[in-house]
Amino acid sequence: MNFIALKMLVGNRARYLSIVIGLTFASLLITQQSAIFMGLMTRTFGFLTDTALPDIWVMDPKVQYIDDIKPLKETESIRVRSVEGVAWAVPLYKGLLKARLSNGTFQTCNVIGLDDETLIGGPPRMLQGKLSELRRSDAIIVNDIGAAGKLATVLPDGRRVPLKIGDTMELNDHRAVVVGICQVQRTFQSQPVVYTTYSRATVFAPRERKLLSFVAAKAKPGQDFHTLCQRICKTTGLAAYTKDEFKKLTIRYYMKYTGIPVNFGTTVVLGFIVGIAIAGQTFFSFTLDNLRYFGTLKAMGATDRVLLQMILLQAALVGSIGYGLGVGTASALGTLLGRTELSFLLTWQLLLVSASAVMVICAVSAILSMRKVIRLEPAVVFQS
Amino acid sequence: MADTDNIAVQCKGVTKTYGSGSTLVHALRGVDLEVRTGELMMLVGPSGSGKTTLISIIAGVLGRDDGECIVFGHDFRHMSHYEKTRYRGQNIGFVFQLFNLIPTLSAAENVAVPLIINGVKRREAIGRACEILSRVGLGDRTYSPPTQLSGGQQQRVAIARALLHNPKLIVCDEPTSALDHETGHKIMELLHDVAVGVDRALIVVTHDARIFEFADRIAKMDDGHILSVENSNYRLTNKKKN
């Protein structure tokens, strides 16, 4: 009976296409918006992803997320280093500083100050120059997107000339020389990322009593991270998180205190409603259109189970095609716009979520249709 | 008294009502009817007389309120929903007024449906459907969808569909009402030629007086009653002609 079910479905081209298009849009909206949301959330902790070496991040206990800097005393890194089980601990500066460009305009930059001696916490990939060049006077390393974008020089004819090695700029009225171009994760605020040494960053930064943002620490081999975190907390009175815990803390903040989840959630729900409204309703109408034929099959000896299988097969087919097209289109858009500001992260979990949503839409449509067919009196076949 | 071995359908005191209270309609008010094997029984009468309700009950697609209705020794009331459905699938063929051919299937696929329902493989079922379509003169239209067939051709496809699984009983509801006189005549000739067999019975509901001549017996109905059952001389006339 499968081929009859499929021919009934595919043969009614207008209805078939409407259902598939409805499901495609639902799947596209759900997948794409969720992927953008995931991308944005990933950007919130991009700095942690880039800074792979430390196992443990130590900070003020009141810090709520990665950009919520509550400075510590310079000596805290030494205290952390002295905790049993810590292999090393380095100071890190992270702050937003204003850069004055060659054309006189200002641009806020995300400045990272690395430990002067070890340069631990540097960018994951250098495109031009070397990390060690940071030891030169006034040296900074700029990320490629920032150099080609917000830090680029705009010529009178509108062309943009990217910042390159040897160029200078002012960071909070201090001269800075570009010695390298690196590649890092895009940040949530899409600001240019500037790497320099810790001591130089504290010179660039406005004067404050305390300037240390984080202490990045490495556990000795065999140390349990959670136990070590607890030990650091107990010894120093500071908060200590593993990398994953710090990521979760950051995401939790954005989820709780920003409207991002609501905004994206609304669109995802909208996609779901579009799916139910268009695809579900059209699928139900398709069943109603074919009620006479289902009745005929019933009269001719097709059992309820067979008819239900037919409807499920039809729902599964349109669901699979709609889901495939939706996810495919979302992936294509993500790939096409991958080089733009668009944040897009399509994970297998999202594919599952989208598939589940489409499955629910199809199941609801199929259940409504099945109820109609089950309740159908085969005597309907004699009604003219 | 008729020989019970030759009885295809036996209805005694069958009643059926629709609705309730002020909307109660008595569709059948105690119908007695006997259809013999090898017979073409025609049920005639005005609209609303209960013809369609009666064949729906006989065909097992509608339950009765009271009375007895035995079809080839089986009482649908004593069968489960599943058994009833399977019995219909194996033993009853249907021809409908509006053909009820699935528009997205070809003629052969439509004809093959009862066999496929009964578990025959698709390829074999379609092969047998093509053979029977040739018997009803549609050998060259096996792959045409119903929309490309005339009304007469569609009804021939429907008849082929009703015959393919060799059912014991074929019920036809107004098989000629959507057809012109000449086509209607051809269809009835075809039905009579291919459907009536020694161990098979055919019940045709109609109020098309032009086809009464094809009946072996005609049961006249009105207001939920069988008014009379009369013999017709069609078969006798045909035998004389031959």
Side-chain angles (χ1 to χ4, degrees):
Chain A
M1 297 296 285
N2 289 351
F3 94 96
I4 296 175
L6 296 180
K7 278 205 150 187
M8 279 171 83
L9 175 71
V10 179
N12 190 341
R13 210 159 283 179
R15 289 267 192 230
Y16 171 62
L17 288 178
S18 299
I19 300 167
V20 168
I21 289 170
L23 285 171
T24 302
F25 267 100
S27 171
L28 172 64
L29 275 177
I30 293 169
T31 311
Q32 196 224 20
Q33 290 299 307
S34 305
I36 293 174
F37 174 72
M38 285 290 283
L40 274 179
M41 286 299 106
T42 310
R43 283 189 185 181
T44 60
F45 55 75
F47 171 62
L48 288 177
T49 312
D50 287 335
T51 316
L53 220 45
D55 299 323
I56 289 161
W57 291 77
V58 184
M59 63 206 77
D60 185 279
K62 297 290 183 194
V63 167
Q64 299 180 82
Y65 63 105
I66 197 163
D67 292 316
D68 179 29
I69 307 296
K70 297 200 166 46
L72 309 168
K73 285 188 282 184
E74 303 274 335
T75 51
E76 297 293 8
S77 59
I78 301 163
R79 289 183 69 203
V80 173
R81 207 173 291 152
S82 67
V83 174
E84 188 192 335
V86 172
W88 50 253
V90 293
L92 265 176
Y93 173 86
K94 187 173 187 300
L96 296 176
L97 299 181
K98 273 189 181 156
R100 188 162 187 265
L101 308 182
S102 56
N103 59 2
T105 57
F106 289 90
Q107 171 62 51
T108 305
C109 297
N110 197 353
V111 177
I112 315 289
L114 312 175
D115 176 47
D116 290 48
E117 289 169 30
T118 61
L119 297 181
I120 284 172
R125 191 174 170 213
M126 289 298 296
L127 299 176
Q128 294 170 40
K130 290 178 189 166
L131 182 62
S132 55
E133 300 281 324
L134 277 184
R135 295 201 170 92
R136 284 169 52 188
S137 173
D138 300 333
I140 57 167
I141 292 170
V142 180
N143 74 319
D144 56 342
I145 292 169
K150 291 177 177 172
L151 295 178
T153 307
V154 182
L155 299 178
D157 60 3
R159 280 186 298 126
R160 299 179 85 87
V161 180
L163 202 64
K164 55 184 187 304
I165 290 177
D167 287 351
T168 58
M169 57 195 252
E170 282 180 20
L171 272 170
N172 206 17
D173 287 339
H174 295 275
R175 180 176 177 270
V177 183
V178 178
V179 297
I181 305 290
C182 66
Q183 192 178 44
V184 294
Q185 301 251 330
R186 280 177 188 267
T187 58
F188 184 70
Q189 296 96 338
S190 298
Q191 285 142 345
V193 180
V194 174
Y195 283 90
T196 187
T197 58
Y198 180 82
S199 57
R200 199 170 301 125
T202 55
V203 172
F204 290 152
R207 289 313 306 163
E208 285 184 71
R209 199 165 60 87
K210 296 186 279 188
L211 281 167
L212 175 64
S213 307
F214 302 106
V215 178
K218 183 82 179 171
K220 280 182 180 167
Q223 282 289 324
D224 177 65
F225 294 168
H226 293 283
T227 314
L228 186 57
C229 283
Q230 284 170 355
R231 202 178 299 141
I232 293 170
C233 290
K234 202 175 168 187
T235 312
T236 63
L238 300 171
Y241 302 108
T242 63
K243 188 183 287 182
D244 285 342
E245 284 171 346
F246 198 17
K247 283 180 182 177
K248 280 179 192 160
L249 187 78
T250 300
I251 287 181
R252 210 174 298 140
Y253 174 84
Y254 278 94
M255 296 288 275
K256 197 171 174 185
Y257 295 106
T258 69
I260 296 169
V262 177
N263 290 334
F264 282 93
T266 305
T267 315
V268 170
V269 170
L270 200 67
F272 190 74
I273 291 169
V274 165
I276 290 277
I278 297 179
Q281 199 266 338
T282 314
F283 189 82
F284 185 60
S285 302
F286 162 77
T287 307
L288 291 186
D289 286 349
N290 285 293
L291 219 48
R292 169 173 285 273
Y293 306 116
F294 282 119
T296 304
L297 294 174
K298 213 169 185 176
M300 290 195 300
T303 58
D304 286 342
R305 192 177 153 191
V306 167
L307 297 177
L308 297 189
Q309 278 174 354
M310 288 174 72
I311 291 172
L312 278 178
L313 178 68
Q314 290 169 340
L317 179 76
V318 289
S320 309
I321 295 174
Y323 169 70
L325 287 176
V327 165
T329 312
S331 305
L333 282 174
T335 308
L336 280 174
L337 303 172
R339 296 291 297 167
T340 66
E341 287 289 312
L342 183 81
S343 63
F344 189 89
L345 181 65
L346 188 56
T347 61
W348 65 268
Q349 291 95 335
L350 278 190
L351 292 176
L352 271 187
V353 167
S354 179
S356 307
V358 171
M359 214 187 287
V360 168
I361 294 169
C362 291
V364 169
S365 324
I367 286 167
L368 289 175
S369 300
M370 288 194 296
R371 267 167 54 101
K372 202 78 189 168
V373 170
I374 292 261
R375 288 179 176 183
L376 180 70
E377 281 283 348
V380 72
V381 290
F382 287 123
Q383 288 168 9
S384 52
Chain B
M1 196 174 157
D3 178 0
T4 50
D5 288 347
N6 292 333
I7 293 174
V9 179
Q10 188 159 43
C11 296
K12 282 182 186 168
V14 173
T15 63
K16 178 70 184 176
T17 54
Y18 295 111
S20 61
S22 60
T23 58
L24 187 76
V25 175
H26 290 277
L28 297 178
R29 299 169 185 266
V31 168
D32 297 332
L33 181 71
E34 201 175 86
V35 182
R36 298 168 201 143
T37 52
E39 178 177 58
L40 192 159
M41 167 68 81
M42 224 171 248
L43 295 178
V44 301
S47 292
S49 59
K51 308 181 297 288
T52 301
T53 300
L54 182 57
I55 60 158
S56 297
I57 290 171
I58 291 171
V61 292
L62 189 68
R64 62 185 186 269
D65 292 342
D66 212 348
E68 194 179 70
C69 184
I70 308 294
V71 179
F72 286 98
H74 292 83
D75 186 348
F76 286 124
R77 188 169 273 182
H78 299 136
M79 292 182 181
S80 68
H81 179 70
Y82 177 80
E83 287 169 340
K84 219 177 352 182
T85 307
R86 296 306 303 134
Y87 185 83
R88 278 202 311 265
Q90 287 158 2
N91 300 291
I92 298 173
F94 294 86
V95 178
F96 307 102
Q97 182 181 0
L98 296 177
F99 326 128
N100 287 10
L101 299 173
I102 298 172
T104 51
L105 301 184
S106 69
E109 286 165 344
N110 264 295
V111 173
V113 165
L115 280 186
I116 293 167
I117 288 174
N118 284 316
V120 176
K121 293 267 184 244
R122 179 183 166 188
R123 185 172 288 186
E124 186 193 335
I126 290 177
R128 282 166 64 181
C130 290
E131 285 170 23
I132 203 162
L133 277 171
S134 300
R135 275 179 63 198
V136 298
L138 289 174
D140 56 338
R141 306 306 299 268
T142 50
Y143 295 106
S144 303
T147 47
Q148 287 177 13
L149 301 175
S150 67
Q153 287 173 326
Q154 288 191 51
Q155 197 58 296
R156 277 193 273 167
V157 173
I159 291 168
R161 181 176 66 181
L163 289 170
L164 184 64
H165 58 303
N166 209 20
K168 290 179 178 171
L169 176 68
I170 297 173
V171 289
C172 310
D173 184 36
E174 307 277 8
T176 57
S177 68
L179 307 174
D180 60 66
H181 177 70
E182 193 186 340
T183 314
H185 246 255
K186 283 181 183 167
I187 288 295
M188 282 313 296
E189 275 173 1
L190 175 70
L191 256 179
H192 200 279
D193 289 349
V194 298
V196 181
V198 180
D199 54 354
R200 185 185 287 165
L202 204 127
I203 303 173
V204 177
V205 163
T206 186
H207 50 236
D208 183 356
R210 298 170 303 182
I211 63 165
F212 287 176
E213 59 185 282
F214 292 95
D216 292 312
R217 288 194 300 154
I218 298 174
K220 288 184 181 166
M221 289 189 75
D222 196 12
D223 195 25
H225 292 104
I226 301 270
L227 299 179
S228 66
V229 180
E230 293 168 5
N231 287 317
S232 168
N233 56 359
Y234 174 67
R235 197 172 282 191
L236 201 65
T237 315
N238 256 12
K239 275 182 183 168
K240 277 179 188 168
K241 274 185 198 168
N242 295 333

